[in-house]
Amino acid sequence: MAKKLSLGYKVFLTHSGNLNMPTSPTPLQDQADRFARAREAQSVALLEDYVELIGDLHAELGEARVADIAQRMGVAQPTATKAIARLKREGLATSRPYRGVFLTEDGSAMADRVRSRHRTIVAFLIAVGVPEDVAETDAEGIEHHVSGHTLKAFERFLAQRD
Amino acid sequence: MAKKLSLGYKVFLTHSGNLNMPTSPTPLQDQADRFARAREAQSVALLEDYVELIGDLHAELGEARVADIAQRMGVAQPTATKAIARLKREGLATSRPYRGVFLTEDGSAMADRVRSRHRTIVAFLIAVGVPEDVAETDAEGIEHHVSGHTLKAFERFLAQRD
DNA sequence: CGTGAAAGATAGCCAGTGCTATACCTTCTG
DNA sequence: CAGAAGGTATAGCACTGGCTATCTTTCACG
Ligand SMILES: [Mn+2]
Ligand SMILES: [Mn+2]
Ligand SMILES: [Mn+2]
Ligand SMILES: [Mn+2]
């Protein structure tokens, strides 16, 4: 810690902005936990995007080939292969060499969940005045950091707006 | 590519995000560009969080020590040291061994921008019905993926709501 | 003052996610 | 039905961002 100061109250230092709120100490640990959660979300983000995309490809083309996955993700083919290896390791997908990629039950469930969330967020952004293409771009990153609680709030907003 | 399908327009797909030009929809490339942008946002996210935090620490304690940075980020001290090395490499911060970390003009500007955006997003989430602590957590990840366009939409919403 | 505890730097490990180059397998086509 | 073409796997490199262990420096206090 910086200096010693009278210590003891440092435990109650609140995060950046507030300074105006009266109560809620927001201990140091809370902020660290938030960063940890964001890091965790990030580590899951790639899995989510791949799984959603593989589901899309099956729906559109009847199969998900590595080359298509790589092209749509905007990465080189070996990068996609490596990501698919991780999906398999985590029980989200299977694949037979030179044959394509398939989602497991878990992977399929994740894909549905992720796709639904993606659509809600895009619809919500458009509803608050963001142009569709911008909404689509921002949603691709935002989606991985929106909690169930926030997602519900977005859905409420969309429902009430009509 | 899987199957042959219509192809033919694939020849015109250009790499990299030229964006802004109204010509040709080419949805395939668009999606790849969106993923690329999300990846880019992620690579900047850590810098943004550190820079904002260093600014906060200077405001609260008069200095930013590595131990404080590490504690608030929820990482081990060498991890913070390594991140600070990257900040220095990118011209956002300086530091003197065993002394503390200081933001450059660029770093300071980024901190202000990032802090303002962070607050706007938290306020916006609260305004649509997300509890404060959840808003604070989700914002920590979301903030790095919100474009200027979307941020403006959030600000409009906050202004009109009253 | 001197010194020990705390802060910071450094070394080295690991996993993840990019990349290129190249070898291998399948498929299409003449 | 033999290649050629193209899709896929593999090897190997770079960089980021975690970690622990350990060494060095600073500074507060006895
Ligand atoms: Mn995404
Ligand atoms: Mn998505
Ligand atoms: Mn953040
Ligand atoms: Mn923030």
Side-chain angles (χ1 to χ4, degrees), chain B residues 102-116:
Chain B
F102 309 88
L103 295 178
T104 63
E105 199 168 332
D106 280 2
S108 219
M110 176 185 276
D112 292 344
R113 186 167 17 96
V114 163
R115 187 175 303 106
S116 158

Side-chain angles (χ1 to χ4, degrees), chain A residues 35 38, chain B residues 45 48-49 52 114 117-118 139-144:
Chain A
F35 284 125
Chain B
E48 292 183 339
D49 284 336
E52 181 184 359
V114 163
R117 192 186 55 191
H118 183 114
E140 202 52 74
I142 290 173
E143 58 181 357
H144 310 285

Side-chain angles (χ1 to χ4, degrees), chain A residues 80-100:
Chain A
T81 297
K82 204 179 282 191
I84 291 160
R86 190 177 159 209
L87 292 183
K88 294 199 278 185
R89 213 184 329 130
E90 311 228 355
L92 296 168
T94 60
S95 81
R96 283 160 38 233
Y98 298 96
R99 293 297 148 157

